[in-house]
Amino acid sequence: MKQTKYTLGIDVGGSYIKAVLMKYGESPALISKRVEKIRKRNPSQVSDDIINALLKQEGLSIDDLAYLASTGEGEMVKRKTGHFYSMTTHAKGAIFLVPEGKTVVDLGALYVRAIKINNEGRVLNYKMTGQCASGSGQFIENISRYLGLAIEEVGDISLSATTPELPSGICAVLAETDVINMVSRGITTPDIIKGIHLSVANRSVRLLSSLKPESPAVLTGGMALNKGMVQAMVETIADSKIDIEVIAPEDAIYAGAIGAALWGGYRYEKLQKEASAVIA
Amino acid sequence: MAQEVTKEKSMLLQKKMIGGLFDELAHVKESGKKVVYTFVPGNLSELIRAFDMLPVYPEINALQSGMKKRSGGFIKEAEKLGHSEDVCTYVKCDVGMFLNGNKGPADTQIPPPDLLLLSYTGCFTFMKWFETLDRIYPGVEVAMLHTPYQEDGKITPEMRAYMVKQLKEEVIPKMEKVSGKKFDEAKLKENLQHSADAEDYLVQIFESAKHKPSPIDGYFAGVYYIGPVNIGFRGTPEATEYYKQLLIEIKERIRLGKGPVTPEGEMKKERFRLVVEGPPNWTNFREFWKMFYDLGVVIVASSYTKVGGVFDLGFRHNPEKPLESLSDYCMTVYTNHNLPQRIDLLSKYIKEYQADGFLVNSIKSCNSFSAGQLMMMRTLEERLEVPVGFIESDLVDPRYFSFSNIKNRLDSFFQMLEQRKIILNQKTPVA
Amino acid sequence: MSKYYLGVDLGSTTSKAVIINEKDEIIGKGITNTRANYKVAADIARQEAVYDTRFTLLNQNLRVESGLPENIEDLLVSLDDAFHFLEFDIRLQKLYNEFLKVGKSAFDNKLSKLILAELPGLIDQIRPQIKEAYLHGGLARKSQFFRDVVNEQYTQAVDSLETEYFEKFMLVFDKSITPVENEMIEFDFKQLATDALNMLLEAGDYPELTAGSKLYQKVAKQIQIIADEKIDITNMVGTGYGRALLPFPESCIKSEILCHAFGAHAVFPNTRTVLDIGGQDTKAIQVDGYGLVTSFHMNDRCAAGCGRYLGYIADELNISLNELGPLAMEAEKQVNICSTCTVFAGAELRELLNVGEKRSDILAGLHRSIVMRAMSLIARSGGVHNEFTFTGGVARNQAVLKYVSAMIHESYGEDITINVHTDSIFMGALGGAMFARRNIDVDLPEKQKRSRAKAV
Amino acid sequence: MSDKTKNIDQILSFCKEAAFDLQFTEAAKCKAAEENRVLIGYMPIYFPRELVHAMNGLAVGIMGSGDRKQIVKGDAYYQSYICHMPRGLIEMALDGHFDEMDGFLFPSICDVIRNLSGMFQILGKGKFAKYLDYPQDFNRETGGVFYRNELKIIIDHITKINGVKLDKDRLNESIKLQNLNRRMLNEIYDIRQQFPWRLSAVELYHLQRAGIVIPVEQHNNMLHDVLDYIREDVGTPMDKIKVVVSGSFCEQPPIGLIRSIEQAGCYIVDDDFLIGSRWIEGQIDDQSDDPLTALANAYVDMSTFSSSVYDVNNHKGIRLAALAKKRKADGIIFAAPSFCDPALLDRPILQKDCEERDIRYISIKFSENTGQFKVIKEQVGAFSDSIKLWDEPVTV
Ligand SMILES: Nc1ncnc2c1ncn2[C@@H]1O[C@H](COP(=O)(O)OP(=O)(O)O)[C@@H](O)[C@H]1O
Ligand SMILES: Nc1ncnc2c1ncn2[C@@H]1O[C@H](COP(=O)(O)OP(=O)(O)O)[C@@H](O)[C@H]1O
Ligand code: SF4
Ligand code: SF4
Ligand code: SF4
């Protein structure tokens, strides 16, 4: 039996697919990672491509994987060994990235999840958005698209706001008309963008606040890469008089995939043990 | 303009009464008076006063927190505790206020209760609310008074007997226990007489809106008028005095042919008369009122001003039959009327007050009022062929008050009334 | 001199203008998408309506002339198409200039070079296609706006490039379109119309139309005459979502609920219920025999159930709005859509496609769900009792119409008459214009004060 | 397949049909079988069916239209921020689903149902539409007397329709049948607590819900057979946690939700979905000279806990915790209908009680016509994961 075990975690999201290759063992390590925007393509095809690309990059083949774990909408990934629920994987991923994390806020394209965890990454309590996408990353994507901004640049632009203007409604789709209205009233782009960020942050912090969160909170998911969003979270948290520190790790967007890879490793070992028990 | 908004004598009287009550509440430690928490619809003010206790109305605190723009923060606090976004915002506002040190709307301390008097007339949420308070104040005595609903549109002897029995065996003994005083029937009778007097005046005050132009606004101003009877002054001579004074002022306005006084000044021309169903919004009360004022809309009658008693249908407190009359009072408040009765009442208002239209302000978080309003509206529209309008807001959750949304609907509604008037006038043959 | 009345409906997604004459006949209409500059949107709609009026007059004048070929009507339609293409072309040129600017400034040197090198080719690729669509595909009458027309072709063209540049090129578009859209261009009607005529001449679709032919001369002469005609607006009324921002006096602003109802009622006098599905709200309105509103209901601020919902779905599928309905009509079944939210429905659509559901079947489900929402509002406003009229942009969508008809009949009886005007989207503007003509005295407080002041 | 299994399959598929039969075919059959028989529809949650049984009638539980009916007209009666169930009820009423019913009862549970009683009155549905005001005073002499009078009013309504007078022995007999019904249902719950795989939660739901729309005798026979079947070791256990579901006492969760919970790694070992059929905790006196008073006293003395009942002297959070303990549950899932004031207002209270007792819980919201269970599955899955992946594996 090989000494190092490779596990691969793939997180199929609403708009991005994230995958990581990890070495699993005493102290698991992240080997390589990849993210790809789905952009109207077939997600299961994109997933396959990403998996292949990751393996190729490290000179591995699918048989070298001890476990291929999916999460998110990853039930469609054909070659997976097993699937884990997003909440479970984000919690595990967050604690891998920030070992002292006590709370996780996953800011994704469609959903926001606020999760309270213990030091093993166990989900103690959570809150999650449901039927309305008003506080989601897609909202920010739509608006930045409308304003002619790339998603990578909105963060910095948002940081330069002086008097942010909140959209009057909450709808992620109709906010476009609000934005049109704001532009026609001469509100600057940074102020509009910041307003949108604050509105998203408001919804997220509302989830968070009912959790009685503990510090520090780890931000995961794609929006954690957005500095403007992180700043908006920090401000909103302060406004709500919640006393917690916010950490946005560099690999935040991979948290789900990392968690999946780790759980995959765990299950693999458990299955091995059970199998050897049967043999014995 | 400024000189027109000068406080009338009655306003000052009211201010003094209410200020006095909050002041007394803040100083119960010194005075040793006992405090009863209870609700407006079907409240037992006269009985509480007969035991020389002080009432606290959590709803009133909530609505005033709304007017003072504090409710938004309170509600968020309560939601942190796990309260749902979907439920009655009064409850959440109250819980939030408690969490914030129970400082009342006038920034005075609201003392904790010695007795929770749960009469849940007309709304189940009251019951849940008191269960919540029961957990907040463990060990505090709770008295439950179940008011049967007028499901068949009437009060039966069995309903009355049930209530009297509860008063005798549950409510009064607990009040005696908490206050340390024996029940004094003579005192109660005296209080009931004061109530009956005040109620006579109150009816005349609201009915003054039958005049054209109406000297009062029976909704926005109406909520101030019902203040004293609804927050614990029913059964006191001060209340009677206040209403007497108010009526004098209103009669003077009628004599001068003047319209209602509003915070924006005196209403100049009465262009439309409306009957409104549903509570107002408190967080944006002035803005809300102004939308009507700006377009010359007077609300001549409303159901909300009857939550503390529908006295214009004839009920009066009666010293001759003290406990029966307290029971009947509870059973006759607006929210204890069944739907057909509510429709009849509104229909009577629309006709008797000669309204041009009927408007529903539907409160998102209040099932007690809202469930059924659409049917009431439809039925009235069909029965009376009156134009109807529908807007949505909330009592104290500012998140549910969308200015532009309400404005758009009201604008359309008023323009619709306007055009109706013009075109229908054109069509009426010249006499 | 003739009197004209203008109604402008500044909607959340589209801005419409209608010009009527004294007989309440629509003689000109213009439409454009609402954009960040409301004034520009309203002005463009109005400008288009005025051009359209000129074309109507042109048509009227030519019709009385003798010796013109039978297919003169067709020719005028083609002329109109060519005219719109020329307008488009001027704008496209401006967009191209903007592309170059953005291409230079928004990227690092290497990338910038690459992008600048590709851009001319891209434009050359899309322009002839669009020209063809205008001249022979009736694009001008499909109410697609500059933004959509270019976007559709551009995206396709970009898609054929290397995938890694896709986002970059899209960004170039997103950054450039807004300034171009917000520019008000004054076209020279005479020039453009004459150019259009020459374009037809060149194209040779009409054999009778040759250089120096009688036909050519007559049309050319009328163009001169009509172009010089003054189109005076006697009165106007503005309505719609953005009405408050219109540069109109307050007495000329009216609620779109009243305007839609009035317009619908004027066209179909037996209408008692009006359903208007616009870009960001849906309204169910009850009217009486005079066209006056007796009650109405509108939806909350949620895109689910409005035109934007369909717009979002169309974007998601990368097809244009007017293809949506026909596609849904091809469905063999309706796939049930569980999500209410527009964004989630978009995601669900992707998933359903992924599990192999047919596009048309999913679309059928999506269309049905928007109609279900409208049905709730209709019910809340009081149901349907007599004739029913469907207005607003979404009424142009055949699939929505199909479901609306089916459900109205199912719930309120087979004998309900259902009306849809080909110009359903203009109903609000038409109602506005009609109010303007009737000059109904809106006794607004402003005015009152003024008259009282005079009396004193 | 053994005969027994076949029989059980038949019973369950019959129940599945009957439970969601919006035409109430079984009830109509029952009515047609005898002259003078009346059908009385009652809304959630509890109503003493034995009373109607004794008056030669069938009390038919009406639990909403679920996801089986497209709501159009119902929306004309309710704003979007009111729970879903009453609009389904109105839609059904307007579409003639209730035409066979002679009267309607609206047990007091919340303001929405209360106002619905008035709407039925205005619409003129049935020969009577009565709001049944349950006492919130739990003294026999006060609340009990009042409640007995409420029941008396119902009897008078029925007598007026079919001429049947209340007969002591007959009512005692009816009480006996309903006692048996409750006893058997409780036994099923007891067996499932230990061996939840023997009958799935969805199957139990169908079985239980069918029971409120068919005669008690018929249902008792089925329960008897099912019990007989699950007393034996059938089915295969799976690695799942055990949960109690609380909060869905009125508007019913869609079957998909119950299924999703079980699929996402939980066995539901107790619930309040159809709590009305187990409302009285214990046996009602069926030998009494005044069985009407016995019924009333049973309500006052032996009611279970619920959000619609005043609880200051008998906190429901403590009772819920005790239930979870008795069922050896790993946690509680609070599943309430959106906009349901009684259930949602109770949540913070109940959750606090759980926290104080270290009972793990999650909360979700649904509506009877929810079709999308993705989010719910994820939450329930995370809940079961969080217990399964860390705690000692559940020994089966
Ligand atoms: N490079 C980036 N910079 C800023 N924001 C980003 C970036 N990449 C993704 N995002 C944001 O993250 C969201 C996607 O987050 P993700 O966690 O992938 O969601 P999901 O798992 O639901 O697909 C997008 O909607 C976008 O708002
Ligand atoms: N040609 C078309 N085919 C189908 N749908 C259309 C078409 N044109 C417009 N629409 C729909 O109409 C909506 C705009 O309707 P409109 O009544 O103009 O709304 P508003 O007044 O709010 O701008 C768009 O969102 C779109 O869904
Ligand atoms: S408001 Fe907007 S984001 Fe929210 S559910 Fe509706 S469409 Fe979706
Ligand atoms: S639900 Fe309505 S009536 Fe009941 S307490 Fe709340 S606001 Fe008052
Ligand atoms: S679901 Fe809740 S709110 Fe709705 S009727 Fe039932 S108890 Fe009342």
Side-chain angles (χ1 to χ4, degrees), chain C residues 11-14 16 142-143 278-279 307-308 321-322 392-394 396 425:
Chain C
S12 57
T13 45
T14 62
K16 286 112 345 194
K142 284 188 181 150
S143 83
R308 260 313 278 148
L321 255 176
N322 44 39
V394 178
R396 293 182 160 187
I425 198 169

Side-chain angles (χ1 to χ4, degrees), chain B residues 268-269 271 294-295 364 374 377-378 381-382 386-390 392 402 404-405 408-413 415-416 418-420 422-424 426-427, chain C residues 243 253-258 262 281 286 288 290 292-301 379-382 385 435 440-445 448 452:
Chain B
K268 288 288 165 346
K269 185 180 167 210
R271 291 166 71 233
D294 281 347
L295 290 157
K364 295 198 178 181
L374 285 167
M377 181 170 93
R378 268 305 75 78
E381 185 186 12
E382 273 161 30
V386 61
V388 297
F390 185 83
E392 297 166 325
S402 160
S404 55
N405 209 319
N408 189 13
R409 281 168 216 226
L410 281 181
D411 273 356
S412 303
F413 181 57
Q415 284 183 15
M416 154 184 151
E418 178 86 57
Q419 256 175 16
R420 221 178 167 70
I422 294 168
I423 298 221
L424 294 183
Q426 286 171 3
K427 309 275 164 180
Chain C
R243 62 180 183 276
I253 303 279
K254 270 200 190 304
S255 144
E256 69 261 40
I257 292 169
L258 301 188
F262 208 61
D281 49 26
Q286 303 287 342
D288 64 9
Y290 306 119
L292 295 179
V293 177
T294 55
S295 88
F296 61 89
H297 256 260
M298 45 198 296
N299 62 351
D300 285 331
R301 292 212 48 197
R380 257 171 227 162
S381 79
H385 304 292
F435 275 128
I440 287 178
D441 184 27
V442 230
D443 184 26
L444 286 161
Q448 240 180 59
R452 193 174 301 118

Side-chain angles (χ1 to χ4, degrees), chain B residues 6 47 79-80 94-95 101 109 127 150 165 192 201 248 267 279 300:
Chain B
T6 43
L47 194 60
E79 286 179 0
K80 276 192 208 167
D94 188 37
V95 169
Q109 187 66 40
M127 189 169 86
Q150 289 203 40
K165 203 163 161 59
L192 291 172
Y201 285 125
I248 293 173
M267 179 84 85
V300 285

Side-chain angles (χ1 to χ4, degrees), chain B residues 132-313:
Chain B
T132 304
L133 289 176
D134 170 58
R135 304 330 196 248
I136 292 184
Y137 300 107
V140 167
E141 207 60 67
V142 187
M144 165 63 143
L145 176 66
H146 173 204
T147 306
Y149 186 61
Q150 289 203 40
E151 59 100 7
D152 199 20
K154 59 178 191 283
I155 297 172
T156 63
E158 288 81 7
M159 285 157 75
R160 188 174 295 122
Y162 175 45
M163 287 209 72
V164 170
K165 203 163 161 59
Q166 291 180 78
L167 285 172
K168 277 194 188 143
E169 293 177 5
E170 165 89 359
V171 177
I172 292 179
K174 290 220 165 117
M175 286 190 162
E176 287 180 329
K177 188 172 160 202
V178 168
S179 68
K181 295 195 172 86
K182 274 234 62 73
F183 171 51
D184 177 353
E185 198 179 31
K187 180 88 178 84
L188 175 64
K189 285 183 172 175
E190 190 191 319
N191 292 353
L192 291 172
Q193 186 56 53
H194 288 309
S195 292
D197 295 344
E199 287 155 7
D200 277 339
Y201 285 125
L202 190 60
V203 169
Q204 290 184 58
I205 288 164
F206 277 113
E207 290 191 340
S208 73
K210 288 182 183 170
H211 277 95
K212 276 188 172 179
S214 168
I216 62 163
D217 188 295
Y219 185 55
F220 293 109
V223 302
Y224 288 100
Y225 300 159
I226 56 174
V229 283
N230 281 1
I231 63 167
F233 289 93
R234 222 184 46 231
T236 66
E238 292 104 303
T240 317
E241 185 50 38
Y242 163 77
Y243 287 113
K244 198 166 150 190
Q245 177 58 36
L246 180 59
L247 186 59
I248 293 173
E249 289 162 11
I250 289 173
K251 282 191 171 152
E252 179 64 8
R253 299 190 75 75
I254 296 178
R255 198 181 63 79
L256 298 172
K258 281 188 167 180
V261 186
T262 85
E264 313 302 322
E266 203 160 84
M267 179 84 85
K268 288 288 165 346
K269 185 180 167 210
E270 173 181 299
R271 291 166 71 233
F272 307 110
R273 299 163 66 86
L274 293 189
V275 168
V276 172
E277 147 72 22
N281 163 276
W282 299 116
T283 46
N284 301 63
F285 189 78
R286 271 200 60 176
E287 255 175 288
F288 197 34
W289 191 348
K290 188 166 182 298
M291 286 189 222
F292 291 80
Y293 167 84
D294 281 347
L295 290 157
V297 182
V298 181
I299 294 165
V300 285
S302 67
S303 52
Y304 178 68
T305 47
K306 309 296 149 60
V307 287
V310 196
F311 304 112
D312 46 353
L313 287 186

Side-chain angles (χ1 to χ4, degrees), chain B residues 367, chain D residues 83 85-86 109-113 249-251 337 339-343:
Chain B
N367 284 350
Chain D
C83 61
M85 191 187 67
I109 166 167
C110 77
D111 301 319
V112 175
I113 287 287
F249 46 85
C250 181
E251 181 171 322
F339 305 106
C340 176
D341 261 30

Side-chain angles (χ1 to χ4, degrees), chain C residues 300 338-339 344 348 351 368 372 375-377 379-380 407 411-412, chain D residues 70-81 87 371-372 374:
Chain C
D300 285 331
C338 300
S339 321
F344 284 93
E348 193 173 337
E351 276 161 40
R368 205 182 115 83
M372 279 312 304
M375 292 302 291
S376 305
L377 284 178
R380 257 171 227 162
M407 284 191 221
S411 307
Y412 299 103
Chain D
Q70 196 64 260
I71 304 303
V72 176
K73 296 177 210 112
D75 279 337
Y77 294 81
Y78 289 101
Q79 299 90 319
S80 52
Y81 34 83
R87 62 193 86 223
Q372 176 71 277
K374 217 157 69 202

Side-chain angles (χ1 to χ4, degrees), chain A residues 177, chain C residues 9-16 31-34 141-145 148 239-241 256 260 276-283 306-312 314 320-326 367 370 391-398 400 424-428:
Chain A
T177 30
Chain C
D9 176 1
L10 186 53
S12 57
T13 45
T14 62
S15 300
K16 286 112 345 194
I31 179 167
T32 184
N33 55 326
T34 302
R141 278 158 280 127
K142 284 188 181 150
S143 83
Q144 273 209 34
F145 312 112
D148 314 329
T239 183
Y241 163 82
E256 69 261 40
H260 269 279
D276 168 38
I277 309 188
Q280 79 163 17
D281 49 26
T282 301
K283 310 169 195 93
C306 317
R308 260 313 278 148
Y309 178 79
L310 293 175
Y312 193 92
S320 76
L321 255 176
N322 44 39
E323 292 170 74
L324 216 52
H367 279 76
I370 175 169
T391 73
V394 178
R396 293 182 160 187
N397 180 314
Q398 299 91 315
V400 172
S424 65
I425 198 169
F426 289 101
M427 231 31 105

